[in-house]
Amino acid sequence: QVQLIESGGGLVQAGGSLRLSCAASGSISRFNAMGWYRQAPGKQREWVAGISRGGSTNYADFVKGRFTISRDVVKNTVYLQMSSLKPEDTAVYYCKADIVTNIGYWGQGTQVTVSS
């Protein structure tokens, strides 16, 4: 099993920045991909950003230009740098590790609250 521990969430004013971290118990360089998802109250969990084994990145349209996903393969940690935060970014943010096809693991989530 792979354990994922998110950290870095908190309360920030609109327009502010926050960096989330996801520490994995395995070698992330061997995983198919790592990703960030978020879930707001009463809504479905949605994909935010991803980074592949080769290091390529992809983003949901609603965060392009504002969020950056990156990784440190030595520390086995994935990051989500969030800037120009908006109240609608308020959600629980989850880290996910896609090990191989149909095998993935979720972290417990970290709360991000953006105030007006």
Side-chain angles (χ1 to χ4, degrees):
Q1 296 185 8
V2 174
Q3 290 186 326
L4 304 172
I5 302 176
E6 301 100 331
S7 62
L11 176 64
V12 64
Q13 292 185 339
S17 299
L18 210 58
R19 189 181 77 158
L20 306 183
S21 298
C22 173
S25 62
S27 299
I28 63 173
S29 63
R30 297 180 181 270
F31 301 166
N32 279 354
M34 299 289 293
W36 286 97
Y37 295 72
R38 70 186 188 187
Q39 187 167 21
K43 295 187 176 182
Q44 290 188 310
R45 190 170 298 185
E46 61 184 354
W47 173 76
V48 174
I51 184 166
S52 72
R53 181 188 293 119
S56 62
T57 59
N58 286 287
Y59 301 91
D61 287 342
F62 52 81
V63 302
K64 285 183 177 178
R66 299 190 298 122
F67 291 9
T68 301
I69 187 171
S70 62
R71 66 180 181 180
D72 185 330
V73 296
V74 175
K75 295 181 178 180
N76 288 318
T77 300
V78 176
Y79 305 94
L80 185 68
Q81 178 66 51
M82 305 183 294
S83 300
S84 301
L85 284 163
K86 306 173 182 179
E88 52 262 44
D89 293 320
T90 295
V92 177
Y93 283 71
Y94 297 90
C95 179
K96 185 186 179 186
D98 294 317
I99 313 303
V100 294
T101 301
N102 294 325
I103 299 178
Y105 296 88
W106 292 92
Q108 295 300 306
T110 184
Q111 177 71 48
V112 172
T113 302
V114 184
S115 65
S116 300

